[in-house]
Amino acid sequence: MRTRAYSVYLVYEFCFSLLRSMASVLSLVYYSEVVGLNALQLVLVGTVLETACFVLEIPTGVVADLYSRRRSVITGVFLYGAGFILEGSLPWFGAVLLAQVVWGCGDTFISGALEAWIASEERERPMDEVFLRGGQTGQAGGILGIVLGTLLGGLDLRLPIVTAGLLFLVFGLVLLRVMPETNFSPVQEKRNNVLADMAGLFKVNLRFVKGAPVLLVLLAVVFCGGLASEGFDRLSTVHFLEDAVMPSFGPLDRVTWFGVMRLLGGGLNIAASQLLIAHMEKRGPAGRTGVVFLTSAGYILSLTLFALGKGFWLMLAAFLLTGLMRSLKEPLLAAWMSSRAEEGMRATVFSTSGQLDAFGQIIGGPIAGLAAQQISVSFGLVCTALLLLPALFLVPAAGRAGKTERTR
């Protein structure tokens, strides 16, 4: 059954990334050219999404620990489908904002629950390898989703979003049949009512986190990552469109170029993840601190280079490197937190992480958006990069705290 759970996890990562990439590969182009959003509105779309995630992360994580992580994941998949169908069907600013709330709610049901589910079902596997392999599989699915989304978007920019939404609903039905849950034990056997149970588990989780210094520092790193991500996600497309001349080669136009960028990024991430898996197999958990530090520093440098670059090829290289640094850092942070969380509260801890990431994006997104609106998109991206600077001090602190705990 454990083998089946691991196989389902990899298939899940592949299919989920495929569908999400299909829906999102041209979404910013859709927002700009079909819905007609400006730079500030683009950031506000992300802010609404992250606000929904911030509000709902802890309740959904507690539900996963109290009732079922499997059910939480499947519920999230269905909400993703509904949100994307709404987003692609109604090209209005208000409808796009509402769609962010719907599929953002779905994201909170999945966030934390998926990691906690596989960590419980595959207790004998090293989580660094599991999360990195899942990320690698997801990248492969994302590449296929980019191809499909770009082809469909060439016909109509709404088509890949709606199609992905419908397929998310089908995917949810398949998961109902094949996703196992054999090692789950509710953290509270006695039930009162939903609100009382959630409040009780949240208090227990809060006490645990306060007494775990390494986990506290890692959560601060996650918050910094949230601060430094929203501006990059929302402004990178605008930076290419406004500040670069995108070369034309045969069928390559502005729309298809963004698909090619995602393809290149996905292929680069798969290759780099394989190298990192081999490195972590040799170093084990002791190698996490150095890799997370280097990828954080690399993110700051490459994003700054991307922001200040004007030539297309230089911007493309910096853009790909920025995405690579983030994709390598996140699975290791997840494995690091998983090793510090108690089994019964793992989903709640991951949801706390997701909430801090969302809170960081809520703060960092408008900062970047206003800087872009008032000065320039390049300046907004530089501000985004600088918001990650505290992580360069926090990551070594987490490593030192971990060594101190092991010594004791």
Side-chain angles (χ1 to χ4, degrees), residues 66-88:
L66 283 172
Y67 300 102
S68 169
R69 291 154 182 176
R70 172 184 175 273
R71 293 179 195 170
S72 185
V73 170
I74 294 173
T75 300
V77 170
F78 282 122
L79 287 171
Y80 254 94
F84 280 130
I85 291 171
L86 174 62
E87 181 176 306

Side-chain angles (χ1 to χ4, degrees), residues 6 85 121 124 132 144-145 185 236 238 291 296 307 315 351 383:
Y6 183 59
I85 291 171
E121 298 296 313
E124 297 178 2
L132 282 168
L144 180 57
S185 297
S236 56
V238 179
V291 175
S296 298
M315 289 171 59
S351 288
C383 291

Side-chain angles (χ1 to χ4, degrees), residues 32-88:
S32 298
E33 298 192 356
V34 178
V35 187
L37 306 186
N38 58 37
L40 182 58
Q41 287 176 319
L42 285 171
V43 174
L44 287 177
V45 167
T47 302
V48 168
L49 170 62
E50 298 307 328
T51 301
C53 292
F54 174 73
V55 172
L56 296 170
E57 271 286 4
I58 291 298
T60 52
V62 172
V63 167
D65 279 336
L66 283 172
Y67 300 102
S68 169
R69 291 154 182 176
R70 172 184 175 273
R71 293 179 195 170
S72 185
V73 170
I74 294 173
T75 300
V77 170
F78 282 122
L79 287 171
Y80 254 94
F84 280 130
I85 291 171
L86 174 62
E87 181 176 306

Side-chain angles (χ1 to χ4, degrees), residues 215 218-219 222 332-341 349-350 353:
L215 198 54
L218 292 177
L219 290 172
V222 170
L332 291 183
L333 265 179
W336 202 346
M337 285 190 292
S338 177
S339 69
R340 295 288 171 176
V349 168
F350 275 115
S353 169

